[in-house]
């Protein structure tokens, strides 16, 4: 697994008004020969199961289903797999929660088998490697089935979902294209299950938070056929992509990652504070105060001011003043992963800085790989395949793409209407949706040790003008990008979301 591929997991690691749903999915090649389209008989498998969730014993129906998206000419173009869990007997007044992961290219395995599905894979909770199989697949009392029906979506090119032969990837692999496909699947599910008047929640993790901003624009953004939503649930948020690009001249990337460096240094005993919350707040204040001022002054920064900033930066990050001076007060995340524990011969994780790894040698500038990804991927891959194939009975010779390569490689990151050479920022879509839906609320979950989608970046993005602040809920967890891998935080996240859903 390459560092580039790991980066895709975090969305970056990871504006035209919405058009009618059929148009974006229609074939555009008018010169192709007419022929009868090959039809696909979508697979649907159901199982009647039961479990205890949130302290309640619940009977439910698990359904794994293929939804076929077609062109105007009737040619199947994409087969999208959803896995839904609906309480028995079906109740149209119950909330329904649509979930997906990120990437782009990541299947829903992480949220489904790690956080909210009725079963989960039991991997070590204390930032140790998941080792070799068998991996226990256990009951998940933290599933949200007691408060909402759950629909996990694997977008095109992820999980078992795929594009049919001859389908142009450009029609599905992109910001707007992907959102239109996911929105259509949601509309189909609502229609097929009689849930048009149910409370609805939409949420994702990592690039899934970017997708949420795009999908809410498709569902509520002016089609005059809106799907009203009650809540958006963002887990490990990335909305404004300028903050993850430490290109020369972009100082924001250094400002938003500084609090993460401080929390990681605190966790590994390289910085002192009363608590992780305390050092995070110290780093926030320093980042938007003296540190921002110093970086913006550039080469006009006086030496005395430079020395004071360098000393405080060293105290917060655990890095030596000598190293910080050599880095011109600007340390990239990649360098930090390698440098923080170099004296111990260890690197730290990108997705979760609690994890440590050992490189081939200790002299490099960057880590060989991300120990917080290779420390969990084996268990999750085994779990989703065993659950979908052996328990739910899904039949296919396709592999489950936990992280699909093709979407990330071919993704269209451009949005019309944002101006020449504009960087990507989808937060305004959320602001518009909330302004036009007075009861739409937002829940944002962040891990203290997540470098892929820094918590300060999420706070910055959601604090900009145009986003109603009185309908935002922020919660923080003592783990990283996938905070639910830590048992205590999975339970806390579950309880926080129960409270959010019940508060409608």
């Amino acid at each position: 697994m390459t560092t580039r591929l790991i980066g895709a997991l975090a969305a970056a690691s990871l504006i035209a008004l919405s058009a009618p749903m059929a148009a974006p999915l229609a074939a555009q090649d008018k010169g192709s020969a007419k022929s009868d389209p090959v039809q696909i008989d979508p697979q649907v498998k159901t199982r009647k199961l039961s479990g205890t969730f949130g302290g309640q014993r619940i009977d439910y129906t698990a359904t794994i289903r293929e939804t076929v998206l077609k062109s105007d000419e009737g040619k199947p173009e994409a087969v999208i797999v959803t896995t839904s869990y609906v309480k028995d007997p079906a109740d149209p007044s119950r909330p329904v929660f649509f979930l997906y992961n990120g990437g782009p290219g990541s299947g829903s395995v992480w949220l489904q088998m790690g956080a909210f599905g009725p079963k989960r894979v039991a991997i070590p909770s204390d930032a140790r490697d998941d080792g070799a199989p068998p991996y226990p697949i256990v009951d998940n009392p933290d599933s949200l089935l007691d408060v909402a029906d759950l629909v996990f979506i694997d977008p095109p090119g992820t999980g078992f979902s795929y594009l049919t032969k001859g389908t142009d990837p450009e029609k599905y692999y992109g910001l707007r294209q992907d959102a239109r496909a996911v929105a259509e699947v949601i509309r189909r599910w609502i229609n097929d299950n009689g849930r048009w008047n149910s409370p609805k929640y939409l949420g994702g993790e990592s690039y899934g938070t970017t997708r949420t901003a795009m999908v809410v624009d498709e569902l509520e953004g002016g089609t005059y056929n809106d799907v009203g939503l009650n809540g958006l649930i963002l887990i490990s948020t990335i909305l404004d992509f300028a903050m993850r690009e430490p290109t020369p001249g972009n100082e924001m990337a250094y400002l938003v990652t500084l609090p993460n460096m401080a929390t990681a240094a605190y966790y590994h005993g390289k910085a002192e504070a009363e608590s992780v919350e305390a050092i995070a707040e110290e780093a926030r204040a320093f980042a938007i105060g003296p540190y921002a001022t110093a970086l913006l002054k550039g080469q006009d920064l006086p030496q005395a001011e430079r020395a004071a900033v360098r000393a405080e930066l060293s105290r917060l990050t655990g890095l030596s003043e000598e190293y910080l001076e050599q880095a011109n007060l600007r340390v990239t995340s990649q360098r930090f992963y390698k440098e923080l524990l170099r004296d111990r011969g260890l690197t730290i994780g990108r997705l979760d800085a609690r994890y440590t790894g050992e490189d081939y040698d200790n002299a490099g500038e960057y880590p060989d790989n991300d120990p917080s990804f290779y420390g969990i991927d084996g268990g999750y891959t085994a779990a989703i395949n065993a659950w979908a194939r052996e328990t739910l009975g899904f039949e296919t010779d396709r592999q489950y793409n936990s992280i699909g390569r093709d979407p990330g490689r071919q993704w269209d990151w451009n949005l019309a209407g944002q101006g020449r050479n504009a960087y990507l920022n989808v937060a305004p879509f959320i602001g518009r949706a909330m302004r036009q839906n007075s009861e739409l609320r937002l829940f944002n979950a962040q891990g203290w040790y997540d470098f892929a989608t820094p918590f300060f970046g999420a706070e910055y993005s959601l604090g900009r003008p145009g986003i109603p602040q009185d309908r935002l809920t922020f919660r923080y967890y003592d783990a990283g990008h996938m905070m639910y891998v830590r048992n205590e935080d999975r339970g806390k996240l579950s309880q926080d979301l129960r409270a959010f859903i019940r508060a409608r």
Side-chain angles (χ1 to χ4, degrees):
M1 193 73 68
T2 65
T3 301
R4 180 177 297 174
L5 179 56
I6 296 168
L9 179 66
S13 22
L14 193 89
I15 294 182
L17 292 176
S18 302
M21 297 306 300
L25 302 178
Q28 301 299 316
D29 185 3
K30 302 301 183 182
S32 60
K34 298 280 186 180
S35 61
D36 292 332
V38 175
Q39 296 304 311
I40 295 174
D41 184 18
Q43 184 177 175
V44 180
K45 301 287 186 179
T46 63
R47 294 288 186 272
K48 295 289 186 180
L49 302 167
S50 64
T52 300
F53 313 109
Q56 298 181 33
R57 189 68 183 176
I58 291 175
D59 296 327
Y60 64 96
T61 299
T63 303
I64 186 165
R65 174 189 299 271
E66 292 179 328
T67 297
V68 181
L69 304 185
K70 299 180 181 180
S71 69
D72 279 349
E73 291 76 17
K75 176 188 178 297
E77 293 187 326
V79 179
I80 311 301
V81 176
T82 60
T83 307
S84 60
Y85 304 100
V86 177
K87 181 182 178 181
D88 292 328
D91 179 0
S93 69
R94 263 172 64 84
V96 58
F97 184 8
F98 298 94
L99 304 100
Y100 33 72
N101 272 86
S106 175
S108 65
V109 52
W110 315 103
L111 288 179
Q112 185 174 178
M113 302 305 298
F116 305 131
K119 298 282 186 176
R120 69 173 182 87
V121 60
I123 63 171
S125 175
D126 57 356
R128 287 180 295 117
D129 182 84
D130 57 4
Y135 306 99
I137 300 174
V138 301
D139 294 338
N140 183 20
D142 296 317
S143 172
L144 298 172
L145 254 173
D146 56 311
V147 294
D149 294 330
L150 307 174
V151 182
F152 294 90
I153 302 171
D154 286 324
T158 76
F160 290 126
S161 301
Y162 64 98
L163 302 184
T164 62
K165 185 177 181 179
T167 298
D168 185 354
E170 292 184 2
K171 296 177 68 176
Y172 288 89
Y173 293 164
L175 285 156
R176 182 65 71 182
Q177 303 93 308
D178 169 86
R180 287 168 175 160
V182 171
E184 181 168 338
V185 169
I186 290 172
R187 287 175 180 269
R188 294 255 208 107
W189 193 95
I190 292 170
N191 196 57
D192 292 345
N193 290 272
R195 303 300 290 270
W196 277 98
N197 209 27
S198 300
K200 300 174 188 68
Y201 294 82
L202 183 68
E205 175 185 287
S206 193
Y207 177 84
T209 64
T210 310
R211 177 180 287 122
T212 294
M214 299 300 301
V215 173
V216 73
D217 193 56
E218 291 294 325
L219 294 177
E220 290 196 1
T223 63
Y224 304 103
N225 185 27
D226 288 356
V227 174
L229 298 171
N230 298 71
L232 306 178
I233 295 170
L234 310 183
I235 299 173
S236 302
T237 299
I238 175 71
L239 301 171
D240 185 339
F241 284 72
M243 291 181 290
R244 62 167 299 277
E245 295 296 340
T247 52
N250 179 26
E251 311 293 13
M252 282 300 300
Y254 302 102
L255 300 180
V256 300
T257 56
L258 175 59
N260 283 86
M261 294 182 182
T263 56
Y266 169 81
Y267 180 85
H268 290 289
K270 290 288 188 174
E272 296 182 359
E274 293 182 0
S275 64
V276 66
E277 292 85 359
I279 200 165
E281 184 54 33
E282 290 179 44
R284 288 186 186 102
F286 181 69
I288 62 174
Y291 189 44
T293 300
L295 296 188
L296 291 173
K297 286 182 179 180
Q299 296 189 65
D300 292 331
L301 180 66
Q303 286 301 314
E305 185 177 351
R306 184 184 187 93
V309 168
R310 185 177 63 234
E312 180 65 3
L313 201 59
S314 176
R315 183 187 75 83
L316 289 170
T317 65
L319 303 181
S320 70
E321 288 195 49
E322 180 183 8
Y323 184 83
L324 291 168
E325 183 62 33
Q326 291 172 341
N328 204 17
L329 306 182
R330 296 163 175 83
V331 178
T332 64
S333 297
Q334 285 283 333
R335 283 177 166 173
F336 185 79
Y337 308 149
K338 185 73 175 183
E339 185 65 22
L340 179 66
L341 302 182
R342 191 186 296 272
D343 59 341
R344 303 178 194 172
L346 300 173
T347 62
I348 65 169
R350 173 180 181 266
L351 295 174
D352 192 332
R354 298 178 305 141
Y355 285 76
T356 60
E358 296 183 25
D359 285 352
Y360 178 78
D361 63 37
N362 201 35
E365 186 175 10
Y366 307 118
D368 294 345
N369 213 326
D370 181 357
S372 58
F373 191 78
Y374 64 69
I376 66 174
D377 59 341
Y380 276 84
T381 301
I384 190 64
N385 278 280
W387 176 247
R389 298 176 191 268
E390 298 163 20
T391 302
L392 301 186
F394 191 72
E395 299 176 1
T396 182
D397 58 1
R398 298 190 304 278
Q399 71 174 9
Y400 185 95
N401 284 318
S402 299
I403 303 292
R405 295 175 181 268
D406 288 344
R409 289 173 172 173
Q410 303 181 57
W411 205 254
D412 178 7
W413 291 95
N414 295 310
L415 277 180
Q418 287 202 344
R420 183 180 178 184
N421 296 328
Y423 66 81
L424 177 62
N425 180 16
V426 298
F429 290 133
I430 289 176
R432 181 167 70 180
M434 295 182 73
R435 295 194 307 273
Q436 295 180 3
N437 177 347
S438 62
E439 295 188 357
L440 180 60
R441 298 175 298 125
L442 184 144
F443 178 96
N444 189 85
Q446 298 289 149
W448 291 123
Y449 309 114
D450 173 16
F451 276 87
T453 56
F455 61 87
F456 196 36
E459 295 165 358
Y460 176 86
S461 298
L462 292 169
R464 298 306 92 195
I467 299 177
Q469 298 297 291
D470 61 339
R471 283 181 271 149
L472 302 184
T473 298
F474 285 86
R475 293 291 183 267
Y476 300 87
Y477 304 90
D478 291 316
H481 196 67
M482 297 139 157
M483 67 284 295
Y484 44 83
V485 302
R486 183 172 180 265
N487 292 338
E488 297 87 345
D489 284 319
R490 183 179 58 258
K492 181 185 175 188
L493 175 64
S494 177
Q495 290 302 316
D496 289 343
L497 283 175
R498 280 187 177 87
F500 180 77
I501 292 172
R502 286 172 173 156
R504 71 178 191 278

